[in-house]
């Protein structure tokens, strides 16, 4: 009888030990694995603007994301709206990577052909830097150039299913723009400058609802 009890105890301890080792191995595997998600901004799809990227886990709370934004509109509601931008962003998750609230910092570079909002349906003509009226209608003016942007973001990411996440985020920062101004009708450069015009402003330039699919 004693031998049977002894064998039963040894068997139970062996089972517990095996389960503990399996649990520990699984935890170590989970802690050591680096997840990778491919992402697409569902909020921009209805207006045919592409915003897609990859987010890679660096450790338990930090990730690195790279994404592109492409707005191909030569004319959107009568206004130039072409944007081609790439962004690198570092994120910190307060709970764990890909789960819960996060904040981040990013740098972006982009090229654009845009009509400034102040020229949308604006009546009248452009006045040059010397104060003289030109023949260029304000509603026909647009800008072409590139920008360097530095900013911060915040958001919340949560799990939809085993491999799918949703990431809701928004961000803003400084945009340093270098551009030349043109008249849509004649093709002339309306600003009469020989080099680049420069401007800087604080703007919201990131945001949306990213659907994410785990690749590994």
């Amino acid at each position: 009888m004693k031998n049977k009890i002894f064998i039963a105890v040894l068997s139970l301890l062996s089972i517990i030990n095996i389960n503990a080792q399996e649990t520990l191995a699984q935890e170590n595997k989970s802690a050591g694995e680096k997840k990778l998600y491919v992402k697409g901004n569902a909020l921009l799809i209805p207006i045919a603007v592409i915003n897609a990227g990859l987010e890679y886990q660096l450790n338990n709370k930090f990730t690195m994301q790279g994404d592109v934004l492409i707005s191909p509109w030569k004319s959107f509601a009568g206004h130039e709206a072409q944007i081609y931008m790439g962004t690198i962003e570092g994120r910190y998750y307060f709970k764990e990577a890909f789960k819960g609230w996060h904040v981040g910092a990013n740098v972006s570079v982009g090229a654009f052909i845009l009509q400034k909002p102040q020229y949308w349906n604006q009546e009248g003509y452009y006045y040059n830097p010397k104060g003289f009226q030109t023949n260029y209608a304000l509603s026909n003016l647009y800008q072409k150039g590139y920008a360097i942007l530095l900013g911060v973001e915040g958001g919340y990411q949560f799990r939809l299913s085993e491999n799918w996440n949703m990431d809701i985020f928004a961000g803003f920062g400084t945009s340093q723009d270098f551009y030349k101004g043109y008249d849509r009708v004649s093709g002339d450069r309306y600003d009469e400058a020989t080099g680049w015009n420069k401007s800087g402003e604080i703007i919201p330039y990131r945001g949306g609802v990213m659907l994410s699919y785990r690749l590994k």
Side-chain angles (χ1 to χ4, degrees):
M1 184 67 178
K2 291 182 178 179
N3 289 337
K4 291 182 179 179
I5 294 174
F6 181 71
I7 291 173
V9 171
L10 284 179
S11 299
L12 180 59
L13 290 174
S14 297
I15 293 173
I16 293 174
N17 183 54
I18 291 172
N19 288 337
Q21 289 180 348
E22 290 179 350
T23 300
L24 181 61
Q26 184 64 34
E27 289 177 351
N28 290 335
K29 180 181 178 181
S30 298
E33 67 181 356
K34 302 295 178 64
K35 299 176 183 177
L36 175 66
Y37 282 83
V38 60
K39 317 177 70 172
N41 197 333
L43 199 63
L44 299 179
I45 291 176
I47 57 174
V49 173
I50 299 169
N51 182 201
L54 295 169
E55 186 175 4
Y56 178 70
Q57 182 177 0
L58 299 177
N59 57 34
N60 189 46
K61 292 191 174 183
F62 285 92
T63 67
M64 183 68 70
Q65 177 170 305
D67 63 81
V68 296
L69 186 146
I70 300 174
S71 173
W73 294 98
K74 292 183 178 181
S75 178
F76 186 86
H79 313 292
E80 288 79 2
Q82 294 185 67
I83 304 173
Y84 306 92
M85 183 165 65
T87 300
I88 296 294
E89 181 171 270
R91 285 183 168 186
Y92 173 79
Y93 286 81
F94 293 98
K95 189 173 183 180
E96 64 178 83
F98 306 107
K99 184 180 292 185
W101 293 103
H102 60 77
V103 294
N106 53 69
V107 58
S108 305
V109 293
F112 60 85
I113 302 176
L114 295 171
Q115 185 180 48
K116 291 183 178 182
Q118 59 262 40
Y119 294 149
W120 293 358
N121 304 318
Q122 181 68 38
E123 297 181 358
Y125 291 87
Y126 175 75
Y127 282 79
N128 65 23
K130 297 179 180 179
F132 296 107
Q133 179 178 307
T134 69
N135 294 322
Y136 305 125
L138 292 173
S139 59
N140 288 328
L141 305 184
Y142 69 93
Q143 296 71 41
K144 179 178 180 181
Y146 66 95
I148 301 172
L149 305 99
L150 297 171
V152 294
E153 68 85 39
Y156 188 86
Q157 187 165 170
F158 59 93
R159 185 176 179 181
L160 296 175
S161 64
E162 182 178 358
N163 292 317
W164 288 92
N165 282 5
M166 179 175 286
D167 180 20
I168 303 171
F169 71 102
F172 70 96
T174 175
S175 176
Q176 301 300 313
D177 307 317
F178 304 84
Y179 64 93
K180 298 177 181 179
Y182 295 93
D183 173 54
R184 185 185 299 146
V185 176
S186 66
D188 295 340
R189 185 170 177 184
Y190 70 82
D191 51 18
E192 301 181 2
T194 56
W196 295 94
N197 296 300
K198 302 178 180 64
S199 67
E201 50 197 348
I202 302 294
I203 59 171
Y205 67 92
R206 288 179 66 74
V209 178
M210 286 279 197
L211 292 178
S212 306
Y213 179 78
R214 183 176 174 182
L215 296 178
K216 72 170 186 176

